[in-house]
Amino acid sequence: MVDGSVHESTGRSSYRRASKTRLRRLLIIATCAFVASASSSAAAAPADWRDYVEGPADPVVAPVRVVAASGDVVNADGLIDSSAGPATLTMTVGGPAPVVLLDYGREVGGVPQFDVIAATGAPVLHAAYSESATYATAAGDGASMFPHSGVDPRRVDDYLVTGAGPIDNRLVQGGQRYQYLTLTTPGSITLRNTNIRFTAYRATPEQYQGWFLSSDDQLNKIWYSGAYTAQLGMVPTDAPDGGPQPVILDGGKRDRMVWIGDLLQTIPTILDSLGTNGQPYVKGSLAAFSAGQYPLVGMIPGFGAPNGPLLPYSASYSIYYVLDLAAYYLRSGDTAFVRDQYSAVARELAFNRAMINPATGLLVVPPLLGADWDVYDLVKTGAVTEVNTLYFKALLDGADLADAAGHADDASAYRTQAAQLREAINAQLFNPATGAYDISDTTRGPIAQDANAIAVLFGVAPPDHASTALAALRTTLWTPHGTSPFSPDARFDARISPFIGGYEVQARLAAGDTDAALTLMRTEWGQMVAPGPQYTGTNWESLNPDGTVADGTISLAHGWSTGPTPALTEYVLGIAPASPGYQTWTLTPHPGDLTWARGQVPTPHGPITVSWTRDGDQLTIAVTAPDDTTGTIRIPGTTRDLNNVHTGTYTIAC
């Protein structure tokens, strides 16, 4: 029974189109049974989400702390506080080298700059860069960059200083928290300051069109660390390493390449946080890949520099292009861009279909194209479950894109092929003995995180398979620091991948396994936002089974690890698009052990703002949405929906 008095109110919004639409406010009081325990990691959360935003307020970023100084160093604090006067480093013949280790507080990326106001002799100023304190040495963290225009190829630089004047590296050091300064030859240098000219997309609260806040301070930090991680990979056209269009790179350092697979996590992260401010970077990246499509075979390239050619990588990564475009379209409703890109979608799906084994109905990748996200592992053989599941999702997404582009016959064909493929995957790749999907039809028994997480997330797994597959991951692969990607009998690399971990978090939420999803977020990503020598304020590329990072080359700001950010918005807060551009939307809160959450998601119609609170078995939900959209509210643990909700107050007996 639904009871409520109808009322209207107008919500306040800073989103650019909000002034064009009337806003509705809905208050839903739901009485439901929740099984929840208090979160051990929950802490008092600040009242304002802006307190969590990590983007620098100024485009020229100064260090915030002197970690250490040794040798002949005078007034090292002058490098963090210009009012304290300049700092002087001196090295005498036969004497020790002066050393200053500076901390920028969190990861930053851009062009190093130095302001020399005096020098004696002809000393060499040596600067080295590191993301973590562990590798903050004269050698830097060793993450040499792939050579491409505008990027500093090394993590160390040497400058011969013959007098006063500015030193501007002009090349990008893409990601670092620590800066190590010393002299390697005798002389003296007086520095007014040292800083980093930030060259990535610099988002302050004013650039955020979406936000998230909850009763768990740790989850809040995880949401904003993901948003900032993605921003560090957003390269404007006017950056030294920029190209003809803005793009999204894999991470702050090392590759600094556009990777098509990584985008499936970073696109929702960027759109849920930055909205239209992030769209040019998404569209620029997708357009670059479609422009680089190989015409004779239809394969989409896998990676490349923003100002260089894109290169082939693997069959699985080429599939991601379709999923990436669909992820953008679902959140933006940008039909014109889909029509522009559709021919590339059709050619990619034809390329995939050519690899179907007619005897089994499963896709089999040639070994030459068999690389995947785990580049350090051997190529998997046979019909690989993860790749077939990606292809299944690409067929469904391709059907939606075909509809948007006006190709109804293609859409029907893709949906038929998807149904056939789903049947083949479940008949031949699910293992009743383990209750999980096998790695491939030639590698039976070992458990793979990627195959099972995305089979659940993308809808390949029926409910009974989904529950046993997720149980197998937890029983077999969970560790104190996150999910291992494979069981030991698979004999693959054991390093934890937050890229695939993001899919597992999302899969568990999609399946209603909220408590486990929150536990995994707190376990795997909680250590990334905790103070320590590896803290960067950003999300890590990978980590060892013991929670450490393998070496200094591992990226500690990697966009593919940002999956929890959209998961917290679209599942925990609960607001997600049900049709392209949020013309229709769903609100399905997943409280778990949280007592409240609130946030906002940007849409082409204006923002949707949600808050919910839980008091015992009562859940109170308020949503403010554009009047020209329609929502469906679903209460966890019930089978009843509120469709075409109107302004008012609703009491739902569960």
Side-chain angles (χ1 to χ4, degrees):
M1 180 177 182
V2 177
D3 301 310
S5 58
V6 176
H7 66 278
E8 294 185 0
S9 64
T10 300
R12 184 175 65 116
S13 171
S14 61
Y15 194 72
R16 67 180 61 185
R17 292 191 57 189
S19 61
K20 299 181 180 179
T21 182
R22 180 169 57 89
L23 302 177
R24 298 184 298 190
R25 184 170 180 81
L26 312 171
L27 180 66
I28 298 92
I29 302 175
T31 304
C32 302
F34 288 93
V35 178
S37 58
S39 167
S40 60
S41 63
D48 195 334
W49 60 269
R50 296 167 183 82
D51 295 338
Y52 289 97
V53 172
E54 297 186 38
D58 194 283
V60 177
V61 186
V64 299
R65 181 172 68 104
V66 176
V67 179
S70 61
D72 192 348
V73 177
V74 177
N75 192 34
D77 287 339
L79 296 176
I80 61 172
D81 180 5
S82 59
S83 66
T88 300
L89 288 69
T90 302
M91 180 179 181
T92 59
V93 177
V99 173
V100 179
L101 180 59
L102 299 170
D103 177 10
Y104 284 79
R106 61 174 55 91
E107 180 132 344
V108 296
V111 174
Q113 298 175 327
F114 308 88
D115 188 0
V116 180
I117 61 173
T120 61
V124 172
L125 174 63
H126 176 86
Y129 301 93
S130 173
E131 290 181 302
S132 74
T134 304
Y135 302 101
T137 68
D141 57 22
S144 298
M145 307 294 180
F146 281 92
H148 53 90
S149 176
V151 174
D152 198 322
R154 302 187 305 152
R155 298 290 273 174
V156 298
D157 291 302
D158 293 290
Y159 308 96
L160 178 64
V161 182
T162 57
I167 299 174
D168 189 334
N169 187 291
R170 301 187 184 281
L171 297 176
V172 170
Q173 287 284 353
Q176 59 276 343
R177 175 179 171 180
Y178 296 95
Q179 184 180 46
Y180 182 104
L181 300 179
T182 187
L183 301 183
T184 57
T185 61
S188 177
I189 295 177
T190 300
L191 293 168
R192 194 193 326 267
N193 55 53
T194 176
N195 52 55
I196 302 292
R197 178 168 59 84
F198 201 79
T199 57
Y201 183 85
R202 188 173 61 88
T204 62
E206 288 69 29
Q207 282 72 48
Y208 277 71
Q209 296 176 359
W211 53 273
F212 173 84
L213 204 62
S214 77
S215 57
D216 188 331
D217 186 55
Q218 186 183 59
L219 294 180
N220 300 338
K221 291 176 180 176
I222 290 170
W223 194 95
Y224 290 92
S225 72
Y228 183 56
T229 300
Q231 292 157 22
L232 280 172
M234 295 168 64
V235 178
T237 56
D238 61 355
D241 57 343
Q245 65 274 315
V247 294
I248 306 164
L249 305 187
D250 60 333
K253 70 175 187 187
R254 206 191 60 228
D255 291 17
R256 288 196 66 78
M257 298 274 193
V258 192
W259 280 88
I260 191 67
D262 302 28
L263 291 177
L264 193 57
Q265 295 291 14
T266 51
I267 286 173
T269 298
I270 289 169
L271 297 181
D272 282 356
S273 56
L274 299 178
T276 56
N277 288 325
Q279 284 188 15
Y281 294 82
V282 175
K283 294 172 69 173
S285 301
L286 293 173
F289 279 108
S290 64
Q293 188 174 34
Y294 299 99
L296 295 180
V297 295
M299 181 181 178
I300 294 287
F303 71 104
N307 46 35
L310 298 181
L311 303 171
Y313 180 64
S314 72
S316 66
Y317 262 46
S318 71
I319 293 172
Y320 272 105
Y321 164 77
V322 182
L323 279 62
D324 294 342
L325 178 60
Y328 168 69
Y329 176 55
L330 181 61
R331 291 162 180 82
S332 70
D334 189 348
T335 303
F337 186 69
V338 170
R339 289 172 177 162
D340 178 71
Q341 297 287 298
Y342 181 71
S343 62
V345 172
R347 291 196 300 271
E348 170 63 34
L349 291 176
F351 164 68
N352 302 146
R353 186 155 183 78
M355 292 182 284
I356 290 288
N357 180 343
T360 63
L362 296 171
L363 186 150
V364 179
V365 176
L368 186 63
L369 300 177
D372 206 352
W373 61 269
D374 53 335
V375 63
Y376 36 76
D377 284 324
L378 296 175
V379 170
K380 302 172 187 71
T381 61
V384 178
T385 303
E386 175 241 5
V387 179
N388 276 270
T389 305
L390 286 173
Y391 178 41
F392 166 80
K393 174 64 170 167
L395 286 167
L396 291 184
D397 285 349
D400 291 340
L401 297 170
D403 281 335
H407 295 274
D409 290 346
D410 287 357
S412 177
Y414 294 151
R415 290 189 177 102
T416 298
Q417 293 166 22
Q420 294 168 346
L421 181 59
R422 182 177 187 264
E423 182 178 356
I425 292 171
N426 282 303
Q428 301 174 61
L429 296 175
F430 183 79
N431 190 333
T434 62
Y437 291 88
D438 285 326
I439 292 176
S440 74
D441 61 357
T442 60
T443 306
R444 302 284 190 180
I447 306 296
Q449 182 190 21
D450 58 3
N452 288 280
I454 66 173
V456 174
L457 178 61
F458 294 159
V460 167
D464 55 338
H465 288 9
S467 61
T468 59
L470 292 176
L473 294 185
R474 186 163 190 170
T475 301
T476 309
L477 302 183
W478 275 29
T479 78
H481 298 284
T483 305
S484 179
F486 302 101
S487 55
D489 53 339
R491 300 187 178 181
F492 289 127
D493 197 297
R495 76 183 75 177
I496 294 166
S497 170
F499 175 49
I500 304 302
Y503 293 134
E504 183 181 346
V505 165
Q506 294 158 2
R508 291 188 179 279
L509 288 165
D513 192 8
T514 304
D515 288 343
L518 296 181
T519 296
L520 181 55
M521 271 192 266
R522 291 164 177 151
T523 299
E524 195 160 314
W525 284 266
Q527 59 202 332
M528 301 181 199
V529 299
Q534 294 173 168
Y535 172 80
T536 53
T538 49
N539 296 0
W540 307 343
E541 175 185 13
S542 64
L543 53 155
N544 292 327
D546 63 0
T548 62
V549 174
D551 56 55
T553 68
I554 300 300
S555 170
L556 300 186
H558 220 69
W560 79 353
S561 300
T562 63
T565 297
L568 287 166
T569 292
E570 298 177 17
Y571 290 100
V572 176
L573 183 65
I575 189 70
S579 62
Y582 291 86
Q583 185 65 57
T584 58
W585 44 267
T586 58
L587 176 54
T588 313
H590 289 67
D593 57 12
L594 302 178
T595 57
W596 61 267
R598 54 184 179 265
Q600 179 170 288
V601 63
T603 86
H605 309 274
I608 300 174
T609 305
V610 174
S611 68
W612 56 255
T613 58
R614 181 171 55 83
D615 183 8
D617 60 359
Q618 181 169 285
L619 185 69
T620 302
I621 309 170
V623 57
T624 302
D627 192 49
D628 55 349
T629 67
T630 303
T632 297
I633 295 173
R634 295 174 178 154
I635 305 301
T638 77
T639 58
R640 296 184 59 191
D641 295 344
L642 286 177
N643 298 307
N644 301 314
V645 181
H646 296 287
T647 302
T649 301
Y650 301 84
T651 301
I652 304 171
C654 303

